Amino acid sequence: MIGMARERRLAEIFVEVADSLVEDFDVIDLLHRLSARCLELLDVSAAGILLADAQGELQIIAASDEHARLLELFALQHDQGPCVECYRSGAARANIDLTGAEATDGWPRFAARARETGYVMTHAIPLRLRNRVVGALNLFQTTPRRLGDGDIALAQALADVATIAILQQRTLEQSHVENSQLENALTSRILVEQVKGVLAERWNTSVDEAFAVFRSYARARHLRLSELAARIIEGDFDTAAIPAPAPAPTPAPSEDPRG
């Protein structure tokens, strides 16, 4: 029954993605949803998606949480890690033990930072279409459970869907169209990251919670994340219109048994 439920959920997710591939879909929101779906379907702890810009430089565009985003940013800043290698080679790297020699010798800084974050295993899946690689999907685990061949194939299928979403144009040979799609997505990602920080500081909450509220508000009103973020940054939208997240409840003081 568990397998059948997973297959039904997988079918629903691919229909969800297909429904998103309209002329003016929100790339940032779609890739964040795909990151979340990886956690749901593959039972991993975190996921992130990297894209290459027009110059071939990798940029982080989506992550399931702030810890994963910062780790991916660290990898890019130090130009090392399975995600960077996966993009350059176009080959998947699965079940990498972050405590083993492969990681500690090959990517010592990345492996150390990943372990500090709490991850013990990682996987890097290329975002590719035929022989074209545009980025990488990265999965992280806090437990040493290995992913089987079926799980890796599913991760690659999700990565392929993300690639098709990015390169949605039918005439993929037109490189200027591809570059335009990537540049627009990367520019949108920067605006969204800025707004996440602004709202987190304004509401005195975590970046992840601020983004969840911002995204929920935008989706409920059929607004693109990038457009709403641009309006906020430009001062054309009053963030007071977005309901602030409820503060965490304060524990009640314990009663003094002495009365």
Side-chain angles (χ1 to χ4, degrees), residues 43-82:
D43 194 26
V44 295
S45 305
I49 295 177
L50 303 179
L51 284 184
D53 60 20
Q55 288 71 46
E57 297 294 327
L58 283 173
Q59 308 284 343
I60 181 165
I61 194 167
S64 59
D65 59 46
E66 188 67 5
H67 294 299
R69 189 187 76 82
L70 292 176
L71 179 57
E72 298 281 35
L73 184 60
F74 181 89
L76 296 180
Q77 289 172 338
H78 292 83
D79 193 33
Q80 66 170 241

Side-chain angles (χ1 to χ4, degrees), residues 209-223:
E209 186 171 13
F211 177 62
V213 173
F214 167 75
R215 184 178 168 208
S216 177
Y217 179 89
R219 293 192 67 189
R221 291 156 180 80
H222 306 289
L223 300 173

Side-chain angles (χ1 to χ4, degrees), residues 230-238:
R231 290 178 60 191
I232 292 174
I233 295 299
E234 294 168 2
D236 293 336
F237 183 88
D238 186 359

Side-chain angles (χ1 to χ4, degrees), residues 79-95:
D79 193 33
Q80 66 170 241
C83 47
V84 176
E85 186 172 308
C86 173
Y87 166 67
R88 291 173 177 165
S89 68
R93 301 291 300 274
N95 295 311

Side-chain angles (χ1 to χ4, degrees), residues 24-32 49-54 57-62 127 134 162-163 165-168 176-194 224-227 229:
D24 194 32
F25 74 98
D26 192 335
V27 176
I28 302 295
D29 185 54
L30 177 63
L31 296 183
H32 275 285
I49 295 177
L50 303 179
L51 284 184
D53 60 20
E57 297 294 327
L58 283 173
Q59 308 284 343
I60 181 165
I61 194 167
L127 268 63
V134 299
T163 306
I166 297 161
L167 306 177
Q168 64 161 334
H176 67 280
V177 172
E178 173 188 337
N179 289 336
S180 175
Q181 287 278 40
L182 294 176
E183 288 302 319
N184 288 339
L186 293 169
T187 300
S188 298
R189 186 268 309 173
I190 293 172
L191 292 174
V192 172
E193 291 297 329
Q194 290 175 343
R224 292 168 61 94
L225 296 182
S226 56
E227 292 175 355

